[in-house]
Amino acid sequence: QKEVEQNSGPLSVPEGAIASLNCTYSDRGSQSFFWYRQYSGKSPELIMFIYSNGDKEDGRFTAQLNKASQYVSLLIRDSQPSDSATYLCAVNSGGYQKVTFGTGTKLQVIP
Amino acid sequence: EPEVTQTPSHQVTQMGQEVILRCVPISNHLYFYWYRQILGQKVEFLVSFYNNEISEKSEIFDDQFSVERPDGSNFTLKIRSTKLEDSAMYFCASIPTGGFQETQYFGPGTRLLVL
């Protein structure tokens, strides 16, 4: 069973702080890693994707991948109240590119 | 920007009834997916579809479920005899050509409530 694990939270950070979200995955053959943001009752919205070991930055967001440790993280700098949502880690593993999701981490940014 | 669309946004049905959820994937995409999310739980893969046939399905996708691409634009999920536990959000997604670097973009979802 291919698993993606996340701390369900909630993770509370003050406005302007850095939020750090973590994810581990079990399938060493996984090739692509995604972070989605999901507001209550809405569909997942892509934030970042990463394929190679190391860091990838996009605006206030940085994704980090360590395939040896089977670990993915998302840093959100200068957190805003509008960042309050559930963040889903997702991993593409296997053929036909289906995506396996973690349970999500709920982030609360306190004004 | 092209997007995946889904209809209806909400569906209420009686247990045992058949429902059809509809999706219009992004045009020129070749791979299509259905996922579901039971309230408070994680998003779960149901089925992938390519070249007019199922390419992979999960253990959730039993004989009660079927998918179809009846024309060049729609992609449907049919639940033949709904159960209470089928109540969930159902999301459709698509990608262009099946490359591992391609991102799945999700439709807005259909909230299904089985009474």
Side-chain angles (χ1 to χ4, degrees):
Chain A
Q1 184 80 350
K2 298 170 184 175
E3 299 287 346
V4 178
E5 301 287 343
Q6 294 182 257
N7 187 323
S8 60
L11 172 67
S12 295
V13 300
E15 182 174 355
I18 295 174
S20 178
L21 305 163
N22 305 312
C23 170
T24 58
Y25 61 94
S26 63
D27 182 9
R28 284 198 171 274
S30 300
Q31 296 181 298
S32 309
F33 308 87
F34 307 90
W35 284 99
Y36 287 86
R37 177 173 62 197
Q38 187 177 34
Y39 295 109
S40 181
K42 302 295 184 182
S43 65
E45 172 195 6
L46 182 72
I47 299 295
M48 296 263 322
F49 58 87
I50 187 167
Y51 314 124
S52 305
N53 278 326
D55 295 0
K56 180 181 178 183
E57 186 174 320
D58 184 1
R60 296 187 295 113
F61 299 94
T62 298
Q64 300 173 315
L65 174 61
N66 183 325
K67 289 187 178 180
S69 300
Q70 295 175 242
Y71 176 88
V72 194
S73 67
L74 179 71
L75 299 178
I76 306 174
R77 289 181 298 282
D78 187 24
S79 296
Q80 301 297 308
S82 58
D83 294 327
S84 297
T86 297
Y87 288 79
L88 310 178
C89 175
V91 174
N92 171 334
S93 52
Y96 304 108
Q97 313 311 337
K98 76 173 186 194
V99 172
T100 300
F101 285 85
T103 53
T105 298
K106 186 171 184 178
L107 173 66
Q108 296 176 337
V109 180
I110 313 299
Chain B
E1 185 175 326
E3 56 185 26
V4 177
T5 60
Q6 291 185 242
T7 55
S9 58
H10 294 78
Q11 174 95 46
V12 181
T13 190
Q14 296 292 321
M15 189 170 57
Q17 294 296 304
E18 174 184 287
V19 296
I20 297 176
L21 310 182
R22 291 182 169 79
C23 167
V24 179
I26 295 172
S27 66
N28 79 6
H29 281 198
L30 300 179
Y31 286 77
F32 314 113
Y33 307 83
W34 283 101
Y35 294 82
R36 79 170 186 191
Q37 186 177 30
I38 295 171
L39 187 64
Q41 298 187 23
K42 65 180 179 181
V43 178
E44 300 174 289
F45 167 76
L46 290 178
V47 65
S48 60
F49 191 85
Y50 169 70
N51 199 26
N52 282 320
E53 60 183 25
I54 291 173
S55 47
E56 188 174 359
K57 59 183 180 179
S58 72
E59 58 272 15
I60 301 169
F61 194 90
D62 62 21
D63 291 344
Q64 294 298 315
F65 292 89
S66 62
V67 289
E68 193 177 40
R69 188 156 162 82
D71 54 42
S73 59
N74 290 285
F75 178 49
T76 62
L77 174 69
K78 181 192 290 186
I79 309 175
R80 256 181 282 281
S81 178
T82 50
K83 308 184 186 79
L84 296 176
E85 54 265 37
D86 294 327
S87 296
M89 282 285 281
Y90 288 81
F91 298 110
C92 175
S94 67
I95 59 175
T97 62
F100 78 93
Q101 294 188 353
E102 293 173 358
T103 303
Q104 293 195 15
Y105 290 92
F106 287 76
T110 294
R111 183 178 295 281
L112 176 65
L113 178 60
V114 183
L115 301 176

